[in-house]
Amino acid sequence: MIPRYTRQEMGHVWSDGNKLAKWLEVELAATETLAEAGQVPKDAAATIRARAKIEVTRIHELEARVKHDVIAFTMAVGESIADPAAARWLHYGMTSNDVVDTAQALQIRDASKLIERALVTFGEILDLRAHQFRYTPQIGRTHGIHAEPITFGLKIANWFAENQRNIARFRDAAAQMAVGKISGAVGTGSHLGPEMEERICKHLGLSVAPVASQVIQRDRHAQYLSALALIAATLEKIALEIRHLQRTEVREAEEPFSGEQRGSSAMPHKRNPVTCEQICGLARLVRTNMLAAFENVGLWHERDISHSSVERVILPDSTILVDYMLSKMTAVIGQMRVFPERMMRNLESTHGLVYSGQLLQDLVEKGMSRDDAYKAVQENAMAAWESDTSFHDRVSNDARIAKYLDSKALAHTFDLQRQLRYVDAIFDRVFGAHPAGEKFAAGSAGKH
């Protein structure tokens, strides 16, 4: 992944130096475990531990000659040991993918810790802002058209709940990836045996794949990339919503805009949602990588190499991108400007049309047939919409409706707080019951 999207900690996880260090970690764990079992001389294992070094440049030089990265690695490490009698026990009983797949599990474990930490932090910001705007009225939109009132806090609560599901899915997928294999060229364990395999993996803090071919089966990787793609999809969904809310005609919320930031080289007035647009674009890459992971599941017989080149791209790139996207979206949500007054103005801009559904229900409840009620409400709604006049005034003067609902009943129909009376109950389901007496006045969040 290009440096533009690579944060330092995640970049280190996927650096050549760290990858090769993980390979060495697997080799050392194997040698020491075998030494404990009496299968490798203990003095050889101690020498390997003391002297084995990673020299990235030398490994690359050797790989250019031998055309095999693991062989180049073992040759270079063997040189660093500088003791042929000890070095001959390096990589004893192992095949290349015993090292590569097991070390990859260690890298993914480290990458997953960073992503899980970022997901939890993102959830905390969503929790904070959802409660901040719990009672801030906003018009809900379906098909992009005004529907019925919601609160901005409820919108964010939806994002929070989805993020919680992402955390659960990601933890499960990361656990599925935290497995190693030291079972040889076709998975039979014929050189070291299942007991040594389990002990080596335990030494590394990994579970052992119960059965493998020459490689750990790639359905695990497909699940992991799917979890990353779902995280990216959630971030895209939130970013897309903010982009819509930032449109000039809407302007209910906007992503942060720093003091010296400039939006356009030609139009100084521009404040564009560039970070949210960036997130929407990067989500496409993560989704595409998920498809490649699914293509990797089917390999020839006990293994071919077609998956390897793909994973050199999709695993680093996807974790790097999701890490970057989570960081960016956490900052956007945390510093997002919100305009409750504009939200209320937009809600009221259709002069009460957003209460048509409640009016229909109230008329039916009072005894009017549903079809007659629908016709009466729709006729008044269409007329109010076309003429940009008060829907409330029109239905108040419609004899068909007045027969069932007097002015007091209509005031109840057009009561905003009635529409929002279950906000606390929904919040309790999402966040847990709030403390007794905790309350905010509707719309009190002000401008942020």
Side-chain angles (χ1 to χ4, degrees):
M1 179 48 61
I2 62 175
R4 183 182 184 92
Y5 305 123
T6 305
R7 282 158 42 86
Q8 184 175 359
E9 284 185 282
M10 188 63 80
H12 171 73
V13 169
W14 296 109
S15 66
D16 277 356
N18 187 59
K19 179 187 76 171
L20 295 169
K22 295 299 185 189
W23 287 10
L24 182 57
E25 187 176 341
V26 173
E27 296 280 11
L28 293 174
T31 302
E32 290 173 346
T33 301
L34 292 170
E36 290 169 2
Q39 296 185 29
V40 167
K42 290 186 177 181
D43 59 344
T47 299
I48 292 171
R49 164 64 71 177
R51 297 186 180 181
K53 297 291 186 295
I54 295 296
E55 295 183 22
V56 177
T57 301
R58 178 57 177 159
I59 293 170
H60 288 167
E61 288 175 358
L62 291 169
E63 185 180 357
R65 284 169 36 200
V66 302
K67 310 299 183 186
H68 193 293
D69 54 357
V70 177
I71 291 175
F73 162 79
T74 57
M75 290 171 65
V77 173
E79 291 174 353
S80 73
I81 295 170
D83 181 345
R88 70 192 179 94
W89 295 103
L90 179 74
H91 203 65
Y92 175 74
M94 300 171 72
T95 191
S96 295
N97 274 281
D98 288 340
V99 177
V100 172
D101 271 10
T102 305
Q104 185 185 80
L106 298 178
Q107 286 181 279
I108 291 173
R109 183 175 65 185
D110 290 347
S112 298
K113 288 177 182 177
L114 297 177
I115 290 174
E116 182 177 341
R117 184 178 70 190
L119 282 167
V120 170
T121 299
F122 184 51
E124 291 170 351
I125 293 296
L126 290 171
D127 185 334
L128 177 68
R129 302 232 76 181
H131 283 84
Q132 185 177 4
F133 299 106
R134 174 167 30 176
Y135 301 111
T136 302
Q138 182 187 30
I139 186 59
R141 298 170 173 90
T142 58
H143 306 274
I145 307 300
H146 285 202
E148 293 185 347
I150 59 170
T151 74
F152 191 51
L154 278 177
K155 187 185 292 288
I156 301 176
N158 242 319
W159 301 342
F160 172 86
E162 189 165 330
N163 187 68
Q164 294 302 103
R165 294 192 294 275
N166 280 334
I167 291 173
R169 283 187 286 253
F170 182 72
R171 283 175 175 161
D172 183 56
Q176 290 290 333
M177 289 295 292
V179 298
K181 59 89 60 183
I182 313 289
S183 54
V186 290
T188 58
S190 57
H191 296 294
L192 298 180
E195 182 184 352
M196 285 299 102
E197 179 183 35
E198 290 179 9
R199 288 173 63 177
I200 293 167
C201 288
K202 184 178 180 180
H203 188 107
L204 294 164
L206 297 173
S207 300
V208 66
V211 60
S213 58
Q214 190 179 107
V215 296
I216 293 169
Q217 302 307 285
R218 260 47 194 177
D219 62 292
R220 296 175 185 270
H221 303 65
Q223 181 187 8
Y224 187 76
L225 267 293
S226 296
L228 291 175
L230 278 167
I231 294 168
T234 296
L235 298 177
E236 179 186 26
K237 164 185 173 176
I238 297 170
L240 186 63
E241 180 68 19
I242 294 171
R243 288 170 60 192
H244 280 304
L245 296 179
Q246 189 166 334
R247 285 181 299 138
T248 306
E249 297 82 1
V250 179
R251 200 168 184 252
E252 295 180 359
E254 67 178 19
E255 69 174 50
F257 192 87
S258 64
E260 296 188 15
Q261 184 174 342
R262 300 186 181 191
S264 167
S265 63
M267 296 169 284
H269 74 277
K270 296 280 277 177
R271 295 163 67 100
N272 301 323
V274 291
T275 301
C276 288
E277 290 172 339
Q278 181 189 63
I279 287 169
C280 289
L282 295 179
R284 299 168 188 170
L285 287 178
V286 181
R287 273 198 300 277
T288 301
N289 289 347
M290 176 194 70
L291 295 176
F294 275 80
E295 295 293 330
N296 278 350
V297 174
L299 304 175
W300 283 26
H301 304 300
E302 275 56 63
R303 179 242 181 172
D304 63 56
I305 203 172
S306 61
H307 67 290
S308 177
S309 56
V310 178
E311 288 177 3
R312 290 175 192 268
V313 176
I314 65 173
L315 288 172
D317 281 10
S318 296
T319 51
I320 285 169
L321 287 174
V322 169
D323 176 62
Y324 176 85
M325 294 164 70
L326 280 166
S327 173
K328 285 291 185 179
M329 186 51 75
T330 298
V332 166
I333 295 298
Q335 301 169 39
M336 172 177 59
R337 298 185 71 199
V338 179
F339 306 101
E341 297 88 351
R342 185 61 177 254
M343 289 179 175
M344 183 61 77
R345 191 189 318 165
N346 287 340
L347 190 157
E348 295 174 340
S349 65
T350 58
H351 309 296
L353 284 178
V354 295
Y355 300 101
S356 71
Q358 188 64 63
L359 178 58
L360 171 64
Q361 181 173 317
D362 289 351
L363 286 169
V364 170
E365 185 179 322
K366 292 297 184 179
M368 196 174 189
S369 75
R370 181 175 180 84
D371 191 52
D372 288 344
Y374 196 99
K375 288 177 181 178
V377 174
Q378 186 182 48
E379 287 173 11
N380 282 285
M382 294 302 103
W385 175 251
E386 294 294 338
S387 61
D388 196 25
T389 54
S390 170
F391 178 60
H392 180 276
D393 291 348
R394 283 186 172 275
V395 298
S396 297
N397 295 319
D398 188 314
R400 296 170 296 177
I401 293 172
K403 180 180 177 181
Y404 294 93
L405 297 173
D406 58 19
S407 59
K408 182 178 179 180
L410 277 178
H412 187 51
T413 297
F414 284 77
D415 181 5
L416 174 61
Q417 295 310 311
R418 181 186 179 193
Q419 298 294 307
L420 306 178
R421 65 190 184 278
Y422 296 122
V423 167
D424 281 338
I426 296 171
F427 263 67
D428 287 352
R429 290 196 305 199
V430 175
F431 299 100
H434 58 283
E438 180 186 354
K439 204 75 175 175
F440 299 95
S444 65
K447 183 180 292 188
H448 297 270

